[in-house]
Each structure stands twice: as structure tokens, then as C-alpha cells.
Amino acid sequence: MTTQMAAKLARFQRPELSLPFLNGIDDAHIAALFGLTADEYHSLRAEFAEQARTAAAGLLTEAWVAGQVDRLPFAPGAHVVALGESSTADRLSWFEILRHLLELRRPDDGITLTNLAVSGATTTLTLKSIAALSFRRPDWVLCQLGANDAQRIGSDGPRVVSAEETARNLSLLHDEGVRLSGAHWIWITPHDVDETLIATYPPFQQAQISWRTKDHEETAQFLLDRPEPTVDTLAVTHPRSGLFEPDGVHLTPAGQVAVTRVVVSALAEIP
């Protein structure tokens, strides 16, 4: 495995979450899954954490961002949990940047952020593990799901999870999640994709899979029509230079910063 591939896997994959039977596994065994030593794995994680912290520090140099972080609705001692897929599991994700924004701007508030996102997760798979909220006991849940449901077989074949099933699962996730935890629930829509990059990305061509903006728009509209607060990330990630990794599905660090701005701005308006 190349160093570049190992770094990519370490950035997006959290085996201890995607494979529940690995609960309690030590870092040395996780590192081995990526072809790394424990020290190499720790170094990569520290590098990602520093990148996320640097992004947060950069955002806080802007007075309006700092003011919005001050207004985020999380009370001192609050526990905030993220449910999601690779867009959130990413160690450079909007959620990880949010973690550092709070640590840097509101260090005395003792707000805890727990990232339960799993790369590759569908709404169906997440629903199967929703009982975790009963013992995590979050005060807030930020949920960004639906992109993997919309993966298509072929260039424009059937979805992996139908739009109807996605809507059903999202509704159940909310209802069961709130029942189990009593948490405030916030939706984050799937971000956009770059269909041109997707169509020319060799691994996707070989696997004969694709994604379409129209599917994410449909999921976003479903969430926006629900009564819970929803943060719409589609417009800010409409394909343009610098926001997408070469696969057209995952965001670059700059893309994650763009999403963070939208998330913080929207959350600051919640009473």
C-alpha cells in the first residue's frame, strides 16, 4: 500500500466504528489495517487534527465567524454527537473543525463532541445502530446522511437505496434517535458532487458506480420540508475548482471549510 493511500484511508476510515466487533481495539491493530505502524498512525492523526485546528483558527480571525461561534446553541457541558458518512467521518470534516472552533473560542464551556460517522454508511446501516444513542446520551445530534443511499449502479442505473426508503429511514432515525436520547436534532443535507470528476475517476469507472446531483437535491428537499432545523450545504458545494477531491465525491479541506461556514451560520440562528 502506498503512503498516499494509507494517509487517505486514515483520514476517512474509522474501523472501530464501522466494525463494531472491533470495539476496544488498540491503535496498533488499527494502524496495521492501513499498513502503518502505531507511530505512523498517531503521526497522521495528529497531522489531521492540526490541520483541522488551523482551519478553525483561520475562521476565528473573522469577527463574524467568532461571533457566530459565541451564539452556537450548545450550553456549557453539552454533548454533541454527529451521525453521518465519509463527509462527516473525514478527520478534516466540518464536524472536526467545529470541535476546534469550540475548543479555541469557548474553552471553558466543556462541550464534548463525539463523531460517530462511518464512511460508506447508508441510512439503513445507521438505523441498525441507532440504539447507540441510548447510552451516548447526547444533548444534540447533527445528522448528515443520504449520499451513499444515492450511489447508482452504472452511469444512471438504480440507486443503492431508493429515494422512498431513504425518506423512510431518515424519518425513523429522527424518531428513534429522539426517543432514545431526548436530544435536539439537526439535519445537515448531503453536499453536492462533481459529476464530471465522478465520470472520469478510474476506480468508479471500474466499479461502475456513480452519483447525481439531482438525487442529493431530492434528499435535501425532503429534509428541508421536515419540521426540524436543517442546514443546506448543497449551494455552497456546487461544483467549482478546489472544493472536490479527484473522485468528485469527497470534499477537499477547502470544501470542508466552506461547509463549516454554512453549518456555524445556521446553528447560530437556532434559539
Side-chain angles (χ1 to χ4, degrees):
M1 185 184 300
T2 66
T3 301
Q4 184 178 12
M5 178 57 72
K8 182 177 180 179
L9 289 173
R11 175 182 165 187
F12 288 101
Q13 299 293 332
R14 299 169 185 254
E16 67 277 17
L17 293 177
S18 57
L19 301 171
F21 59 83
L22 294 180
N23 184 38
I25 189 174
D26 60 38
D27 283 351
H29 286 89
I30 294 176
L33 295 174
F34 302 140
L36 300 168
T37 66
D39 286 344
E40 289 170 333
Y41 180 53
H42 291 155
S43 179
L44 275 174
R45 288 186 58 173
E47 181 180 331
F48 293 138
E50 184 57 31
Q51 287 184 57
R53 192 174 185 84
T54 298
L59 285 170
L60 288 173
T61 63
E62 302 174 32
W64 74 273
V65 175
Q68 288 176 323
V69 175
D70 290 341
R71 295 196 301 276
L72 291 177
F74 312 137
H79 183 198
V80 185
V81 163
L83 299 179
E85 45 207 345
S86 58
S87 55
T88 307
D90 183 356
R91 295 187 188 277
L92 302 178
S93 76
W94 59 270
F95 190 74
E96 297 304 323
I97 298 172
L98 178 62
R99 179 195 308 283
H100 291 289
L101 286 171
L102 289 165
E103 288 179 355
L104 291 168
R105 183 69 180 179
R106 296 167 56 177
D108 297 330
D109 283 353
I111 299 168
T112 301
L113 274 69
T114 301
N115 195 339
L116 297 182
V118 175
S119 290
T122 61
T123 56
T124 304
L125 290 174
T126 306
L127 186 58
K128 288 176 63 177
S129 59
I130 194 64
L133 293 186
S134 65
F135 59 85
R136 295 284 185 173
R137 305 303 301 175
D139 299 294
W140 295 83
V141 173
L142 309 183
C143 182
Q144 185 182 39
L145 283 164
N148 287 313
D149 288 37
Q151 178 185 309
R152 288 184 175 270
I153 302 169
S155 61
D156 199 24
R159 290 169 45 125
V160 171
V161 179
S162 71
E164 294 76 18
E165 188 72 1
T166 295
R168 169 189 175 274
N169 289 345
L170 290 170
S171 296
L172 284 172
L173 278 166
H174 168 267
D175 295 348
E176 288 303 302
V178 172
R179 181 182 69 81
L180 290 166
S181 68
H184 300 281
W185 195 279
I186 309 294
W187 298 108
I188 315 291
T189 71
H191 61 69
D192 207 348
V193 296
D194 188 321
E195 294 185 25
T196 300
L197 290 176
I198 290 170
T200 57
Y201 188 61
F204 291 164
Q205 289 180 312
Q206 184 177 15
Q208 298 187 44
I209 57 176
S210 64
W211 283 261
R212 292 287 179 264
T213 289
K214 65 180 181 181
D215 294 322
H216 290 359
E217 290 174 341
E218 187 173 88
T219 300
Q221 191 58 57
F222 170 78
L223 294 174
L224 289 165
D225 288 342
R226 287 187 59 86
E228 303 83 36
T230 298
V231 182
D232 189 357
T233 70
L234 271 172
V236 72
T237 54
H238 186 71
R240 62 179 185 269
S241 177
L243 291 189
F244 289 91
E245 297 287 354
D247 60 18
V249 171
H250 296 101
L251 295 175
T252 61
Q256 289 287 7
V257 168
V259 169
T260 305
R261 288 178 177 277
V262 173
V263 170
V264 169
S265 179
L267 290 180
E269 299 303 317
I270 295 174

